[in-house]
Amino acid sequence: MKILVFDSSGLVASVAVLTEEQMIAEYTVNYKKTHSQTLLPMLDEVAKMTELDLHDIDAIAIAAGPGSFTGLRIGSATAKGLGLALKKPIVAVPTLEGLACNLYGCEDILCPMMDARRKQVYTGLYTFADGQMQVLKEQTACPVEEILQQAGNFGKKVHFLGDGVPVYRSVIEEVMQKTGTPYVFAPAHMSRQRAGAVGIRAFEYLRAGKTETAAEHAPVYLRKSQAERELLAKGKTLAQ
């Protein structure tokens, strides 16, 4: 089985092609360009370098959110368009689960964080037991102090990763040291979104029959966009 994977949920743009036995290709860029500029050219390059016929893939996996509203929309539109054209199912992987799979197999506590602004993070808590991901806390948007307190309740070392870590590093260090919780920050090659990691989780979803059609797929935002929040504060909606 072969899958095509996209992750454009954060600052990183990443495209990968995987089978259950190997990663055929992964193209990841963490640079200040929009995903509308990078994602399709990256797919084109991966397809050329691996002589990939897109009709040969079995499914399209996507980091479905939460994350950047614009990035999620671009990734979703790309996956939906290809899914419709190729008549392939979509595997929607929660962004934080995909990010946690950078540390696949780790039996400590995994705490991926994405900066959600307004002193909040998109986050969740995960671990692995016998090679299987255990979701200890479903992905959510919350104040960073809240997830830090919860992460320390398991009596294990906590691994932090994601673009929220440098933003809240001093807070993380203060809380973890205060509570006496052992912790570590993931190294650079494991600390950001990678389509390959999303693909590992996507195969688990596929085996469990968790797929959707291209028409059914929609991003997971968890929070309203800034524009929606500002309109609601004025007593309006986007439709008005």
Side-chain angles (χ1 to χ4, degrees):
M1 185 173 288
K2 184 183 296 182
I3 61 172
L4 172 65
V5 191
F6 297 103
D7 192 331
S8 59
S9 59
L11 297 175
V12 174
S14 189
V15 179
V17 180
L18 295 85
T19 68
E20 292 186 84
E21 292 77 30
Q22 65 175 325
M23 175 125 67
I24 297 171
E26 184 182 58
Y27 191 163
T28 300
V29 175
N30 184 10
Y31 193 67
K32 49 189 176 183
K33 288 187 177 181
T34 65
H35 296 315
S36 60
Q37 293 175 291
T38 57
L39 208 59
L40 285 176
M42 289 166 65
L43 170 59
D44 186 55
E45 186 66 20
V46 165
K48 286 179 180 177
M49 291 294 291
T50 62
E51 300 180 346
L52 174 67
D53 183 343
L54 290 176
H55 289 88
D56 291 339
I57 64 172
D58 296 288
I60 299 166
I62 180 78
S68 157
F69 285 86
T70 302
L72 290 176
R73 285 194 291 268
I74 292 169
S76 176
T78 303
K80 285 171 73 74
L82 286 170
L84 287 168
L86 300 171
K87 298 181 180 178
K88 303 295 182 180
I90 304 293
V91 185
V93 176
T95 297
L96 278 303
E97 291 184 16
L99 189 50
C101 279
N102 281 336
L103 297 172
Y104 193 96
C106 178
E107 296 185 359
D108 293 331
I109 304 302
L110 307 180
C111 184
M113 288 183 180
M114 298 174 67
D115 184 19
R117 310 261 177 106
R118 297 176 177 246
K119 297 182 179 180
Q120 290 197 333
V121 289
Y122 295 124
T123 187
L125 295 174
Y126 310 90
T127 190
F128 285 86
D130 298 323
Q132 298 297 312
M133 174 177 279
Q134 308 294 314
V135 179
L136 304 176
K137 181 179 178 60
E138 295 281 357
Q139 60 182 21
T140 186
C142 68
V144 64
E145 292 87 354
E146 180 179 316
I147 195 67
L148 294 178
Q149 292 292 341
Q150 294 174 2
N153 290 336
F154 294 92
K156 292 185 176 182
K157 180 184 289 186
V158 183
H159 296 249
F160 294 100
L161 64 159
D163 62 36
V165 170
V167 178
Y168 296 104
R169 185 174 182 127
S170 61
V171 179
I172 295 169
E173 292 174 333
E174 180 182 349
V175 173
M176 292 292 100
Q177 290 170 13
K178 185 176 180 179
T179 59
T181 303
Y183 67 97
V184 66
F185 298 112
H189 68 295
M190 296 179 175
S191 65
R192 295 294 187 274
Q193 285 91 338
R194 291 181 58 186
V198 175
I200 295 299
R201 186 61 169 157
F203 276 118
E204 295 175 351
Y205 272 58
L206 271 171
R207 287 192 288 270
K210 296 181 180 179
T211 66
E212 56 193 20
T213 67
E216 291 170 332
H217 174 67
V220 176
Y221 294 117
L222 291 187
R223 296 194 321 181
K224 295 183 183 298
S225 69
Q226 182 176 346
E228 288 176 298
R229 292 195 299 268
E230 291 173 352
L231 285 171
L232 286 171
K234 297 175 183 178
K236 300 180 180 179
T237 67
L238 287 176
Q240 292 176 313

